[in-house]
Amino acid sequence: MDEFSDIKLSRRELLIAGAITATAASVPGAAGAAPGAPSAPPVTSKVAFQVNGKSHTLDVDTRTTLLDVLRENLHLTGTKKGCDHGQCGACTVIVDGRRINSCLTLAVMHEGAKVTTIEGLGNKDKLHPMQAAFIKHDGYQCGYCTPGQICSAVSVLDEIRQGIPSHASADLMARPQATPDEIRERMSGNICRCGAYSNILDAITDVAGSKA
């Protein structure tokens, strides 16, 4: 044991050495990769769809999400990247009449689809009724989640009009109504960190009443 008697490691040094070893082991191919070896090029594919009424054909990496294509390729930055895990709803868009979290779906999965983002619902010169209601009822604070909230709210009222039930529907055989409980349940996937929920509910209820 004499040959080890001069080795002295502090607890901090031991932890750092262990972390470096674990990191090196977790990198795929790190041990056998030749220095300077080129990485494989990404696999790309063409995808054609309509976004806000305009046709687009793009050549994209097959791993690219619809959210990133909208923001980075088409520069439609109204759709926000929040959690990037489908938990906050900031990236909600409407695809073929149904709302989806665009961060959870690949762009190449939507060949021929019709995509509507917040920019396609209305603009400052001609607001969508839901956009106008959010302004009227102050349904936002920082505004980051607002595009997803509005796209989701428009789809919520469409779902109710189509008679699609939710977990809050007491009678699955009866047509659902735009009650506060129904709206809260259907909007539960859209998170507002500022806490403007009561104003958002007022805005959606206002639009539901005007269309009833």
Side-chain angles (χ1 to χ4, degrees):
M1 298 295 293
D2 292 340
E3 63 269 24
F4 299 108
S5 61
D6 292 333
I7 299 176
K8 295 181 180 179
L9 288 178
S10 68
R11 182 173 181 273
R12 177 181 175 83
E13 291 169 335
L14 182 62
L15 290 174
I16 291 174
I20 292 173
T21 302
T23 301
S26 68
V27 177
S39 59
V43 177
T44 62
S45 177
K46 288 191 180 298
V47 59
F49 43 50
Q50 286 189 26
V51 180
N52 300 332
K54 296 181 179 179
S55 297
H56 297 275
T57 300
L58 304 170
D59 191 23
V60 299
D61 187 322
T62 55
R63 300 167 296 179
T64 307
T65 65
L66 178 59
L67 171 61
D68 285 336
V69 164
L70 291 173
R71 290 182 56 83
E72 306 300 333
N73 295 73
L74 300 182
H75 308 294
L76 296 170
T77 55
T79 304
K80 303 304 183 188
K81 179 177 284 194
C83 66
D84 210 24
H85 286 77
Q87 298 174 343
C88 72
C91 68
T92 303
V93 297
I94 303 170
V95 178
D96 292 333
R98 298 180 62 185
R99 54 183 169 144
I100 66 169
N101 291 326
S102 59
C103 74
L104 292 183
T105 185
L106 299 175
V108 294
M109 296 170 62
H110 299 285
E111 173 70 29
K114 294 182 178 179
V115 182
T116 302
T117 70
I118 188 67
E119 291 92 344
L121 287 179
N123 54 55
K124 62 184 179 63
D125 298 317
K126 187 177 181 181
L127 294 175
H128 185 281
M130 191 65 72
Q131 292 172 313
F134 265 66
I135 294 173
K136 174 183 175 183
H137 293 280
D138 197 19
Y140 54 87
Q141 288 187 34
C142 77
Y144 194 85
C145 73
T146 305
Q149 296 274 4
I150 290 176
C151 285
S152 195
V154 169
S155 293
V156 160
L157 296 188
D158 284 341
E159 292 166 7
I160 292 174
R161 282 193 293 271
Q162 294 172 35
I164 300 173
S166 76
H167 287 294
S169 302
D171 185 353
L172 298 182
M173 302 304 294
R175 292 191 65 82
Q177 303 296 315
T179 62
D181 285 344
E182 280 283 355
I183 294 172
R184 288 191 188 98
E185 168 61 27
R186 294 170 190 265
M187 291 294 295
S188 60
N190 289 81
I191 306 302
C192 173
R193 290 177 175 84
C194 298
Y197 293 114
S198 59
N199 295 356
I200 292 171
L201 177 61
D202 289 343
I204 300 172
T205 303
D206 190 350
V207 176
S210 68
K211 290 188 176 182

